Amino acid sequence: METETTLSESIRITKDKARLDAACKRILSEKIILAWIMKSCVAEFRDIPVREIADRYIEGTPEVSEVPVMPDEVKSSRITGSNTEDKTINEGTIYYDIRFCAAAPRSGETIRLILNVEAQNNFYPGYSLVTRAIYYCSRMVSSQYGTEFTDSHYENIKKVYSIWICMNPPEERHNSISGYSIKEENLIGNVKEAVEHYDLMTAVMICLGSEDDENYSGILKLLDVLFSKELSQDEKRKVLQEDFDIPMTHSIERGISSMCNLSEGLWQSAMEKGWSEGMKKGLAEGMEKGMEKGMEKGMEKGIAEGAEKNLLENIRSLMATMKITAEQAMAALRIPESKWAGYAAKL
């Protein structure tokens, strides 16, 4: 019975994680949020007002790329644009978090950009995220054959961006935005090729960080507030409205509400699980030692040892469930900093 309960709880947590992931993608796919990302990371939009980017330049059908979180909402300001599934015969299938098209003015004409936005929790998944972003760019270029261009009409290839939002980057990357693109380099001689002939892909890494940093502003602050696990729905709404002039539409309100509720639910599940298991173990050990050396002493020691084990399990649960560091988990559990090193060693 206990195994079934544990399995049922694990399945529920897994489903909640999937819902939270879908809610994050959904709020990211709001045109006004994408417009802020584009203005900060895409050179073609740097001098264009955010509202104008959202209303005029983002293309695509207003619908959710994944299975709808709220299927009752047929029309909204969310977009997905072109097919989010990219297939090749030998390379398998890639699913982009959000993929859409945008038109940008340049030299009196209109060019089309294909942007791909990814939200990433794990900065070190066993390879460089920059390398993966370059691969995504390459796939978005090569997959244009047969749709944007055919035969040898390479002049019709559209520029692509792969923008990655990194939630838990290493400290040295906190509050930074880095771009990786193709540049001309003259090894011998001094020639100038038209930039549009090779400037076809750019990977951008947006690395979030804490607010006590001089770079904490603009899109870095907006995304940090949006995905914060500490701020309430009202606090997020206040910052988005007052600092970024983002209207709280019904769609955005529900998106933020879903993220806050799911985050709180996962956090609470991790706390309750660790507490329950720790108390159970502590009481069992207390009873056993109490029978041998006196109930009072045994219970006291057993509960103390169980409480410590429970605390360690709480830390582990929060780290695994919320994808945060040991220090962040201990801070959330309000463990005094003087005890962090001791618990870290036992972890």
Side-chain angles (χ1 to χ4, degrees):
M1 186 69 176
E2 187 174 344
T3 303
E4 290 181 6
T5 303
T6 303
L7 179 60
S8 175
E9 179 68 9
S10 297
I11 292 173
R12 187 183 69 78
I13 290 175
T14 300
K15 286 183 178 179
D16 282 349
K17 284 181 180 178
R19 291 190 187 103
L20 178 58
D21 185 54
C24 289
K25 293 176 185 178
R26 182 177 182 278
I27 198 73
L28 271 180
S29 68
E30 292 284 346
K31 283 188 176 182
I32 191 66
I33 303 297
L34 287 172
W36 270 100
I37 294 173
M38 290 162 67
K39 182 173 179 62
S40 305
C41 304
V42 180
E44 289 80 357
F45 294 99
R46 201 152 289 157
D47 299 323
I48 301 177
V50 170
R51 182 70 60 183
E52 188 177 342
I53 296 173
D55 294 341
R56 181 177 175 184
Y57 294 108
I58 295 178
E59 299 179 348
T61 305
E63 58 187 26
V64 181
S65 59
E66 301 288 340
V67 176
V69 178
M70 300 169 204
D72 55 313
E73 289 186 12
V74 178
K75 291 185 178 181
S76 74
S77 61
R78 296 186 303 279
I79 60 94
T80 53
S82 57
N83 189 7
T84 58
E85 179 181 317
D86 189 1
K87 294 183 178 180
T88 63
I89 294 175
N90 297 317
E91 296 178 57
T93 303
I94 301 169
Y95 291 93
Y96 301 101
D97 279 0
I98 304 166
R99 186 178 174 183
F100 62 101
C101 293
R106 187 181 65 179
S107 304
E109 60 182 21
T110 298
I111 63 169
R112 297 184 71 235
L113 306 171
I114 300 174
L115 288 86
N116 154 234
V117 179
E118 299 283 334
Q120 183 70 21
N121 245 318
N122 185 5
F123 196 83
Y124 293 117
Y127 52 82
S128 168
L129 285 181
V130 174
T131 303
R132 182 176 171 186
I134 294 297
Y135 172 72
Y136 274 38
C137 284
S138 302
R139 284 294 305 123
M140 285 192 288
V141 169
S142 66
S143 65
Q144 292 180 48
Y145 185 81
T147 56
E148 299 294 339
F149 75 100
T150 57
D151 299 324
S152 298
H153 291 287
Y154 298 105
E155 72 278 5
N156 292 326
I157 294 176
K158 305 302 183 292
K159 183 176 181 179
V160 302
Y161 278 82
S162 185
I163 302 173
W164 291 67
I165 302 166
C166 305
M167 313 291 192
N168 297 305
E171 190 172 348
E172 63 271 15
R173 280 184 173 265
H174 279 188
N175 288 321
S176 66
I177 302 177
S178 306
Y180 305 86
S181 56
I182 300 173
K183 303 292 183 183
E184 182 178 62
E185 179 185 5
N186 285 307
L187 304 180
I188 298 178
N190 186 21
V191 300
K192 292 295 178 185
E193 181 72 17
V195 175
E196 60 269 22
H197 294 168
Y198 58 84
D199 183 26
L200 294 175
M201 64 171 69
T202 298
V204 180
M205 311 302 289
I206 304 176
C207 295
L208 306 185
S210 58
E211 59 182 317
D212 54 345
D213 185 289
E214 61 180 355
N215 295 329
Y216 187 79
S217 61
I219 191 63
L220 292 169
K221 179 179 178 180
L222 190 159
L223 293 173
D224 182 65
V225 168
L226 199 59
F227 296 115
S228 172
K229 298 179 182 69
E230 288 77 35
L231 295 179
S232 67
Q233 185 176 342
D234 288 339
E235 290 171 321
K236 290 184 179 185
R237 183 192 298 115
K238 187 173 186 290
V239 174
L240 294 178
Q241 285 180 313
E242 295 182 1
D243 292 8
F244 299 99
D245 194 27
I246 295 178
M248 287 297 106
T249 62
H250 182 61
S251 176
I252 292 179
E253 284 273 15
R254 291 188 67 176
I256 294 175
S257 176
S258 294
M259 285 171 55
C260 289
N261 291 338
L262 287 166
S263 292
E264 179 65 27
L266 284 168
W267 189 282
Q268 193 64 34
S269 293
M271 291 284 284
E272 288 174 359
K273 184 180 178 184
W275 178 258
S276 175
E277 290 178 358
M279 281 298 291
K280 210 182 299 179
K281 185 81 171 173
L283 288 171
E285 290 181 5
M287 287 293 291
E288 183 181 341
K289 293 179 187 300
M291 290 293 290
E292 294 173 0
K293 300 179 182 180
M295 184 67 73
E296 188 177 345
K297 225 173 190 180
M299 281 291 288
E300 189 178 323
K301 188 175 181 183
I303 291 175
E305 290 176 357
E308 182 178 90
K309 191 161 186 178
N310 165 40
L311 201 50
L312 291 171
E313 287 303 318
N314 280 344
I315 296 170
R316 290 192 187 95
S317 294
L318 287 178
M319 290 171 65
T321 305
M322 307 306 296
K323 304 291 188 209
I324 58 178
T325 64
E327 288 75 16
Q328 289 173 321
M330 287 188 281
L333 292 170
R334 297 181 180 175
I335 299 173
E337 285 192 41
S338 59
K339 296 184 178 181
W340 285 10
Y343 285 123
K346 291 178 182 179
L347 287 171

